[in-house]
Amino acid sequence: MTIFRTLATGLAALALTALSAAADMPVLKAGVRASGTVNWELDTIRHYGLDTQNGFALEVSDLAGGPATQVAFQGGEVDVIVSDWLWVARQRAAGQDFVFIPYSKAVGGVMVPNGSDVQSLADLAGGKIGIAGGPVDKSWLILRAYAQQEYGLDLAAETEQVFGAPPLIFQSALSGEVDGAINFWHFMAKMEAAGMRQVISVSEAAQALGLDPETPLLGYVVRGETLRENPDLIEGFAKASRAAKDLLASDPAAWERLRDRMRVDNEAQFEALKAGFLAGIPAPGPVDEAAADRMLRLMAELGGPELLGDVTTLPDDIFFRPGT
């Protein structure tokens, strides 16, 4: 009995020591969309203590959506959000000191019912396309440029477009209300699990346009001021992010504990979402800025001021460089 009491006392002391150490660490507040797939990584960081192992404590706030996270970040309510680096480029060009840490290179594509006769974008001429986002959605712009290059087809002029939120486009695609659907990668994974097939991915279209599909589009956004004043904090967060990716890439049990958070209806959805997330993990190391500049120039040409404001070339110091 004395042995068990001593063991319990020792464990309690260790727990108190760990809590005390965590309390002394800097806190990094992340604001993310409650349903976003980034939560799988952030949950992994917190559950396995990858934040405290790297010298900080991660706090996560669930926010309503992309615009809400941007407002919270710009207002100083949170320290880090997830966005694409094109938004960061536009903000930097407007005088905001924001820095991008790569998170994912996963992109969407065009999905059609499995029995559809559509084999290429050219076959969608005269049809109806559902598009997650708006007229300057980046995937839509790239696919439009690809269709013009490969088939001389103006998708905007020769199809009917239905723009909407990803869940709406998902349902429209499954119900057959549209002939093809352009959606985010995680909805595409669920569409594939439901029996739809991919005509072309945005990654394939981008490569055909001379872009590098390895360029990560989504990432964590932090303030340059935070990076300068507390480089160890941001470096620690970047290391925790990479450690979580490595864990998810190597340990099936790490995915099993995320199953409920992933909100899957069946095993096919679970496996498709897991495969899509892992395929989107960017390679370690710095972003190829020449490749990013090529993408930005194309996006500026296609999306114009509505997408990028006055930005036409890649701003300096947009990407986080570990160890600098």
Side-chain angles (χ1 to χ4, degrees):
M1 197 69 173
T2 303
I3 294 175
F4 289 118
R5 189 178 297 115
T6 302
L7 179 59
T9 302
L11 290 173
L14 285 173
L16 287 172
T17 300
L19 287 172
S20 176
D24 293 336
M25 290 180 178
V27 173
L28 191 71
K29 298 179 181 179
V32 294
R33 183 181 311 184
S35 60
T37 59
V38 68
N39 285 287
W40 308 345
E41 177 166 304
L42 298 178
D43 186 284
T44 299
I45 289 173
R46 297 180 71 191
H47 178 79
Y48 291 97
L50 302 175
D51 51 349
T52 55
Q53 291 175 31
N54 284 284
F56 71 99
L58 178 64
E59 290 184 4
V60 180
S61 298
D62 293 335
L63 300 175
T69 65
Q70 292 169 2
V71 169
F73 180 68
Q74 290 171 310
E77 297 174 32
V78 295
D79 304 309
V80 57
I81 62 171
V82 171
S83 189
D84 61 72
W85 62 262
L86 293 170
W87 179 79
V88 179
R90 180 170 184 169
Q91 297 302 312
R92 282 193 73 86
Q96 299 287 348
D97 186 13
F98 298 162
V99 179
F100 178 92
I101 302 172
Y103 159 65
S104 177
K105 64 179 182 178
V107 291
V110 180
M111 302 291 289
V112 298
N114 202 34
S116 171
D117 293 332
V118 173
Q119 300 298 323
S120 73
L121 290 184
D123 298 327
L124 285 170
K128 183 186 291 188
I129 302 177
I131 301 161
V136 291
D137 173 76
K138 299 159 194 71
S139 295
W140 169 236
L141 293 176
I142 287 174
L143 290 165
R144 281 182 58 190
Y146 171 82
Q148 187 67 54
Q149 173 182 286
E150 297 296 314
Y151 309 111
L153 173 67
D154 184 344
L155 277 177
E158 299 189 45
T159 65
E160 178 184 349
Q161 297 99 50
V162 177
F163 298 101
L168 175 63
I169 300 303
F170 172 69
Q171 292 298 333
S172 297
L174 293 185
S175 66
E177 295 174 34
V178 294
D179 300 298
I182 300 170
N183 215 329
F184 300 160
W185 75 265
H186 50 297
F187 282 97
M188 278 184 56
K190 289 187 175 184
M191 291 158 75
E192 184 178 4
M196 299 188 73
R197 63 177 171 83
Q198 180 176 273
V199 174
I200 187 171
S201 71
V202 174
S203 178
E204 292 172 306
Q207 193 165 13
L209 292 169
L211 303 179
D212 184 358
E214 295 301 309
T215 302
L217 184 61
L218 288 177
Y220 297 106
V221 186
V222 298
R223 296 180 188 83
E225 178 184 9
T226 306
L227 177 59
R228 289 189 299 275
E229 293 181 354
N230 199 342
D232 290 343
L233 173 61
I234 303 305
E235 186 88 33
F237 176 66
K239 288 179 179 178
S241 170
R242 176 55 59 176
K245 288 178 171 66
D246 291 343
L247 181 62
L248 290 169
S250 61
D251 187 357
W255 282 104
E256 284 300 326
R257 60 167 298 276
L258 290 172
R259 187 183 286 263
D260 289 343
R261 180 178 274 276
M262 293 166 70
R263 301 177 183 177
V264 294
D265 296 328
N266 50 56
E267 190 66 20
Q269 282 190 6
F270 176 72
E271 291 298 333
L273 287 170
K274 182 170 71 170
F277 181 94
L278 295 176
I281 294 177
V287 174
D288 183 338
E289 295 194 11
D293 185 58
R294 288 195 299 273
M295 179 180 287
L296 185 143
R297 289 172 185 269
L298 178 62
M299 290 293 98
E301 178 185 336
L302 298 173
E306 186 178 352
L307 176 63
L308 283 169
D310 297 329
V311 182
T312 56
T313 58
L314 190 72
D316 294 333
D317 301 322
I318 183 174
F319 297 115
F320 171 70
R321 299 183 182 90
T324 60

